[in-house]
Amino acid sequence: MASEFQRLKVQAMFDVFDVDGDGSLTEGDFEALAARWGLLPRVAAGPELAVRVRAVIMGWWQHLSAVGGGAGVERIGMDELMAMVDRLPTMKQAVTATADVVFDAVDENGDGQISRTEHGRLIDTWHGQTIPTGDVFDRLDQDGDGYLSRPEFAILWTQFWISDDPAEPGNLMCGPVEGASAA
């Protein structure tokens, strides 16, 4: 069972995924999210990456649909998303694979590192708007080199989706968690 902290950060993601703001997630919301990610420069310029990004996003809709009752499910609520989050510790390979695709999409210059600017773009893309991030990147960049490597990114991404420890830096991966006390 997810902690209250997990519910808080996942509620923020639910709100982001709910593109039309109707209080439930639909396949259309995930289509809109995939379209938003398709606007990232590297994704827009790379048809293969665009296919990977869309496949990952729509694949998570399929996972959620299965939790919500399977084929034909049209709407998913917060409870179903939390049930999915409860399953994620047994799905670490899928979480890491998603991190890998997101890394490629956000690594705009293809240098194998995520810069502060690229990470800010990740947050803005998730949220569909510019989000003030304060010192989020500094807290994620544990070695202080100014970048997130692919392995660092995968660890942080996994922490975001699986951790219920507010002190873990990955909880800030998608931006500040509103209502959570500073770690």
Side-chain angles (χ1 to χ4, degrees), residues 126-172:
W126 269 126
H127 292 270
Q129 61 184 329
T130 301
I131 299 293
T133 60
D135 69 345
V136 163
F137 188 83
D138 296 328
R139 294 176 65 193
L140 295 171
D141 182 19
Q142 297 287 290
D143 63 9
D145 69 355
Y147 297 95
L148 302 177
S149 68
R150 189 177 296 272
E152 287 172 313
F153 189 88
I155 290 167
L156 294 164
W157 186 263
T158 302
Q159 285 175 353
F160 178 82
W161 287 105
I162 296 176
S163 176
D164 67 353
D165 178 356
E168 287 193 319
N171 289 308
L172 300 171

Side-chain angles (χ1 to χ4, degrees), residues 46-69:
E48 182 181 309
L49 182 55
V51 167
R52 288 176 55 216
V53 166
R54 186 176 190 295
V56 162
I57 291 171
M58 297 313 295
W60 284 107
W61 167 251
Q62 295 305 315
H63 286 299
L64 279 169
S65 296
V67 169

Side-chain angles (χ1 to χ4, degrees), residues 18-173:
D18 183 13
V19 174
D20 62 9
D22 70 353
S24 63
L25 303 181
T26 65
E27 187 171 9
D29 289 323
F30 279 73
E31 292 281 359
L33 186 61
R36 188 162 69 217
W37 276 85
L39 297 175
L40 286 170
R42 192 161 180 216
V43 178
E48 182 181 309
L49 182 55
V51 167
R52 288 176 55 216
V53 166
R54 186 176 190 295
V56 162
I57 291 171
M58 297 313 295
W60 284 107
W61 167 251
Q62 295 305 315
H63 286 299
L64 279 169
S65 296
V67 169
V73 169
E74 294 184 18
R75 299 193 171 287
I76 299 293
M78 182 63 180
D79 289 341
E80 289 88 2
L81 181 56
M82 290 308 300
M84 182 80 239
V85 168
D86 284 342
R87 293 180 183 184
L88 291 179
T90 66
M91 301 173 65
K92 285 187 180 176
Q93 186 175 11
V95 174
T96 302
T98 300
D100 198 45
V101 172
V102 170
F103 186 96
D104 289 341
V106 174
D107 181 14
E108 191 171 312
N109 61 5
D111 67 354
Q113 307 178 101
I114 301 297
S115 68
R116 178 183 307 275
T117 300
E118 290 167 333
H119 181 258
R121 202 163 289 114
L122 175 151
I123 293 171
D124 294 348
T125 300
W126 269 126
H127 292 270
Q129 61 184 329
T130 301
I131 299 293
T133 60
D135 69 345
V136 163
F137 188 83
D138 296 328
R139 294 176 65 193
L140 295 171
D141 182 19
Q142 297 287 290
D143 63 9
D145 69 355
Y147 297 95
L148 302 177
S149 68
R150 189 177 296 272
E152 287 172 313
F153 189 88
I155 290 167
L156 294 164
W157 186 263
T158 302
Q159 285 175 353
F160 178 82
W161 287 105
I162 296 176
S163 176
D164 67 353
D165 178 356
E168 287 193 319
N171 289 308
L172 300 171
M173 189 59 136

